[in-house]
Amino acid sequence: MKKNKKTNKWSRWLLVALLLIGIVAAFAWWLTEKPVPSKIVYGMSFNTLYANELGLDWKEVYDAILDDLGVRHLRLAAHWPMVEPEKGVYNWTELDYQMERAEEVNADVIFAVGRRLPRWPECHVPEWGASLPWEKQKEEIREYLRVVVERYKNNPAIIYWQVENEPYLEVFAKDYCNELDEEFLIEEIELVRSLDPTRPILVTDSGNLGLWAHAYKHGDAFGTSVYVYFWNPELGQFRTILPPWFYRAKENFIKLFYGNKPTFLIELSAEPWLVEPVTSVDLKTQYERMDLQKINEIIDYAVETRYDKQYLWGAEWWYWLKKQGHNEIWDRGRELFKN
């Protein structure tokens, strides 16, 4: 009799354990579930400063992205030093042209504003503002935001304002950006929203390193980056250990707390990870870190994240390669954007 009671007790515990395992497994399965998009829409970031760094004619590169690659979904950036090279003196040459051409070809634009925008050194401050105390610099940023948003808010090509870029990713940015001033970030978001209440605000965070919660919470939409290949002096090149379903699980988990919002893969890296300027690195090294095979692998990886809108990163480098007589990556881009 005692033996039967003991057996029944262990049976109950086993049943409870199996039930808990089943619940955890079901929850884990649910976290990784996301509808497979019927079609992935591809876009491209374009960065005027990077085109210039590569020694290219930025206008030629931009036109080629629109007219040759056929890109119709863009992320453009109003880098503060480019827009206001001298205090109170504004330069609209690049952005006016880019927005006019986007409208001309019926492309839509995610328009990024703020001090921290895509490309190294993360925070872009004009020389005249670099030595200002932070409180004074904030005053200048408010004015820069006001002027930029007021100038472009009537352009129908803009679908989102992106405020700052990966503001919560501090690991790469502390030397140039200092600690995140979250209160000011929220103020920037509200300022842009007040200047143009007709468009939603996009806030972004790193896919590999970001926690997502704060960025997701503060925006009307959320964008994340996906990097598959990395390089650093100690480890050399290495591939991400994160499987594509990690992004689906992370997004579903965040949605439990902050609800459903539009989400994008806003930065899919398709260029070599370098610590020196591209033009000072030999082609062999560049191709070791990023080549057509890796780009195809990255595109396939990103498909499995199941984001239905994905913005690639690296067209300026593709065009630079093309100018060196290496067309294969540019030609792959043509295929991708014309499908």
Side-chain angles (χ1 to χ4, degrees):
M1 189 72 173
K2 286 183 179 179
K3 188 174 181 181
N4 285 340
K5 284 185 178 179
K6 192 172 183 180
T7 301
N8 289 339
K9 181 180 178 182
W10 280 109
S11 296
R12 285 195 297 271
W13 278 112
L14 180 61
L15 187 61
V16 169
L18 289 173
L19 183 62
L20 288 173
I21 290 169
I23 291 170
V24 170
F27 182 65
W29 173 83
W30 174 82
L31 279 179
T32 63
E33 278 300 291
K34 187 176 183 178
V36 177
S38 57
K39 181 181 180 181
I40 294 174
V41 175
Y42 289 101
M44 180 64 77
S45 292
F46 175 73
N47 191 296
T48 309
L49 301 183
Y50 186 45
N52 291 339
E53 180 187 316
L54 291 170
L56 299 169
D57 179 334
W58 67 263
K59 190 180 291 188
E60 180 183 318
V61 182
Y62 184 71
D63 285 342
I65 288 170
L66 293 179
D67 301 331
D68 193 6
L69 287 185
V71 173
R72 291 297 178 266
H73 308 282
L74 295 158
R75 179 170 66 150
L76 303 178
H79 289 91
W80 188 14
M82 179 178 75
V83 169
E84 193 180 5
E86 299 177 44
K87 178 175 166 51
V89 178
Y90 294 95
N91 163 50
W92 306 113
T93 303
E94 295 86 356
L95 287 172
D96 276 1
Y97 181 84
Q98 290 163 23
M99 291 304 300
E100 286 165 10
R101 284 245 50 214
E103 189 176 358
E104 176 189 317
V105 301
N106 200 30
D108 58 52
V109 174
I110 293 174
F111 198 110
V113 293
R115 181 179 70 131
R116 181 170 177 171
L117 292 182
R119 293 287 172 188
W120 191 256
E122 303 291 337
C123 283
H124 303 266
V125 179
E127 287 185 12
W128 61 265
S131 60
L132 293 175
W134 177 230
E135 289 303 316
K136 182 62 178 173
Q137 198 174 111
K138 286 196 290 186
E139 290 179 19
E140 300 295 344
I141 294 169
R142 292 183 191 102
E143 181 62 12
Y144 143 83
L145 288 172
R146 185 191 65 76
V147 172
V148 172
V149 174
E150 288 287 358
R151 184 173 185 87
Y152 293 109
K153 69 180 184 180
N154 293 321
N155 190 303
I158 297 175
I159 55 171
Y160 285 95
W161 295 106
Q162 178 185 330
V163 177
E164 302 290 341
N165 187 60
E166 298 182 343
Y168 289 93
L169 180 64
E170 296 189 76
V171 64
F172 294 119
K174 278 191 178 178
D175 289 346
Y176 296 93
C177 303
N178 298 317
E179 298 285 341
L180 171 65
D181 184 339
E182 186 175 33
E183 185 178 322
F184 184 62
L185 171 65
I186 295 168
E187 182 187 334
E188 288 180 283
I189 291 168
E190 293 309 315
L191 174 59
V192 173
R193 186 175 280 125
S194 70
L195 292 167
D196 182 8
T198 68
R199 289 187 179 87
I201 304 294
L202 173 70
V203 183
T204 63
D205 201 0
S206 166
N208 303 77
L209 299 172
L211 297 177
W212 290 17
H214 292 291
Y216 190 97
K217 175 175 65 174
H218 292 313
D220 303 307
F222 174 75
T224 190
S225 58
V226 170
Y227 281 70
V228 176
Y229 283 97
F230 302 83
W231 185 91
N232 74 31
E234 288 76 33
L235 299 174
Q237 186 168 70
F238 59 97
R239 191 184 186 280
T240 182
I241 61 170
L242 301 175
W245 57 257
F246 170 81
Y247 294 87
R248 307 198 300 264
K250 200 170 179 180
E251 180 180 321
N252 284 331
F253 185 75
I254 293 295
K255 284 180 176 180
L256 286 174
F257 299 93
Y258 300 112
N260 284 315
K261 294 180 180 182
T263 56
F264 311 115
L265 200 174
I266 196 64
E267 190 172 304
L268 179 59
S269 181
E271 65 179 21
W273 188 293
L274 301 169
V275 294
E276 309 92 352
V278 169
T279 52
S280 65
V281 178
D282 61 89
L283 273 173
K284 180 176 180 292
T285 300
Q286 293 182 43
Y287 275 135
E288 284 172 355
R289 298 188 194 174
M290 187 62 62
D291 59 10
L292 182 58
Q293 181 179 336
K294 285 187 174 71
I295 285 176
N296 284 328
E297 181 188 342
I298 288 164
I299 291 168
D300 290 343
Y301 177 100
V303 167
E304 294 303 316
T305 65
R306 299 185 189 171
Y307 286 102
D308 59 4
K309 200 164 187 181
Q310 304 186 7
Y311 288 77
L312 284 96
W313 172 264
E316 303 90 347
W317 178 65
W318 300 1
Y319 194 77
W320 181 84
L321 285 176
K322 184 173 180 287
K323 297 283 279 188
Q324 316 303 310
H326 300 275
N327 296 352
E328 65 277 7
I329 294 176
W330 185 265
D331 290 343
R332 177 67 180 97
R334 277 204 197 103
E335 294 172 10
L336 190 70
F337 287 104
K338 289 182 179 175
N339 283 341

